[in-house]
Amino acid sequence: MKILAIETSCDETGLSILEVKESKNKLSFKVLATTLASQIKIHREYGGVYPMLAKREHIKHLPILLEKVLKKSKLGGSVAKSTWRPNRQVNTVSPVDLIVVTSGPGLEPALWTGIVFAKELSQKWNVPLIPVNHMEGHILSPFGANAGDFEIPLTENKDSSISFPILSLLVSGGHTELVLIKDWGKYKVIGQTVDDAAGEAYDKVARMLDLPYPGGPEISKLAEARRKFLLFENIAQADEPSIAIRQQANMSVFKKQKLPIVIKLPRPMIYSKDFNFSFSGLKTAVLYLIRDLKIANPNVMENQNTKNDIALEFENAVVETLVHKTKKAILKYKTKNLIIAGGVSANKHLKNEINKMLKKLDFETQVFFPKKELTGDNSIMIAMAGFLKYTKNKTKIYKNIKAEGNLKLK
Ligand code: KG4
Ligand code: ZN
């Protein structure tokens, strides 16, 4: 069967058409067409995502992208034209058998645009519509690809490369959570952030360093530059007064005023007994650190080395916390499979540190990361979660689908 997947939960409008097949051991997917309209440039001016602006952009892009995917998949662009334009003759021959749409979590004005669009298509084409949890999409994303064929292995498969329970660390702009996957479709959130998400902290700290939105890749670049330098100079970072501080003309100012000599940030909640995270205090610590550095030198933030130093220590703090809690959960639940997904899963340092941690365990745990193009929001992962939901209950009719900004995994 063919399915149309729609994603509008945040600042990416995504539409895809996939051919899907179910067999005993796996769900198979073939990407017929996929598109993604990013709004990053528009939101960048404001340093973050503006929900009403996101809504406007989704509304603008949805019909255009629908036409594109229908054309690319050779299912007929003209069908789309007559379908979505008001007061046109409606073509009721549907190019797909099923429509799936993100219904939450996310920004409600943005979510509604996808839902309203999907509902209209579902009525006009007379095909079922299934609401999808965006986070379930992220969970499945490591098995996907944005071109060609791919598959999701199912539980019953004895030769399957996966075994349940699987642990998943979801790290994005809106979420930081550890999820125990008892089976596909059966989730238990065992820990989550009590305040800011990891990606959100990256974005906020990037703003303090005058870096553009989204901050994750920007901070990462600076941290990487500093990391390479330390490695090259063979310096143990923990004992190293940062370049920024060493370059201050008068070290006595630091001593007299008890300013930090080494750039060091906290690892909030790292030793808490639960699996929760907190990143808001870390962000505030960066704010105070910049304030203190400016006491010694008001121009300190104009120095690239200062930014690199802060970026490195911030990234180390985030990644150390994420890896520590993930390890604790693996040990407690003895999981043999680990999924890391969401925008922050594109982070190189996180990948390296997760791999290092796994190597030191005395049992083997296999880790799955999404391909780079599927780390961020996209509609391929929504198609995956939507089709999985469909196979679990093929006759269920979803009435009154609505946007749920805080939709939880269960
Ligand atoms: O999953 P995603 O695209 O959207 C949400 O559902 O939130 O995640 C976006 C987040 C942003 O906060 C962005 O700064 C962060 O992912 N991000 C990264 C990297 N690439 C994106 N954070 C750290 N390192 C990266 N390389
Ligand atoms: Zn997301």
Side-chain angles (χ1 to χ4, degrees), residues 15 58-68 80 84 117:
L15 261 83
H58 287 310
I59 292 172
K60 201 166 85 189
H61 282 116
L62 279 165
I64 299 167
L65 296 189
L66 174 65
E67 217 173 319
K68 255 194 198 166
W84 60 259
F117 189 75

Side-chain angles (χ1 to χ4, degrees), residues 17 22 27 76 115 124 225 251 271 283 291 295 310 354:
I17 296 180
E22 181 189 2
L27 301 182
I115 293 172
K124 284 181 175 167
M251 282 295 282
Y271 296 117
K283 166 199 74 189
R291 179 200 64 188
I295 294 173
I310 297 173
I354 286 278

